[in-house]
Amino acid sequence: MTPSPRQATPGRSPPSAPSLRVLVTGASGFLGRAVVAQLVARGHTVWGTSQSGRPPADPAYRDAIDRVQWLSWRSEETPLPAHSLAEVDGVIHLAAGRDRKGFPDAEGALA
């Protein structure tokens, strides 16, 4: 019986997925840091946005964060610049505005 394309063949590595160029908005946030770490671990090229344009000071994600190209973007003020979208295969939008009324503190809730 021939395995279907979705089944792994024992003793052989599954074919690797092509590397993607991904822009992650809100990459310095609670969810963004985890998404960025997973993308980098899978070999993708990642651009991340943060309001400051700098990575977060989070030692748990330091290896992944150091491999991200950082852009400054404030979601509540301006649309993403067209040039930042021209070079990517996809966008994962996780940015939130500064006005967080009605949103619980995710990090505090999980602590």
Side-chain angles (χ1 to χ4, degrees), residues 28-94:
S28 63
F30 181 68
L31 293 175
R33 293 186 304 251
V35 169
V36 164
Q38 289 297 312
L39 289 168
V40 169
R42 288 172 170 74
H44 300 299
T45 301
V46 179
W47 285 268
T49 70
S50 68
Q51 293 191 0
S52 67
R54 293 186 307 269
D58 189 337
Y61 297 99
R62 179 56 48 207
D63 288 343
I65 288 170
D66 287 344
R67 294 170 50 194
V68 174
Q69 298 176 46
W70 290 92
L71 306 168
S72 177
W73 179 57
R74 293 179 180 271
S75 61
E76 68 276 4
E77 293 176 9
T78 60
L80 274 168
H83 68 82
S84 63
L85 298 173
E87 298 183 25
V88 299
D89 298 310
V91 176
I92 299 174
H93 181 46
L94 301 173

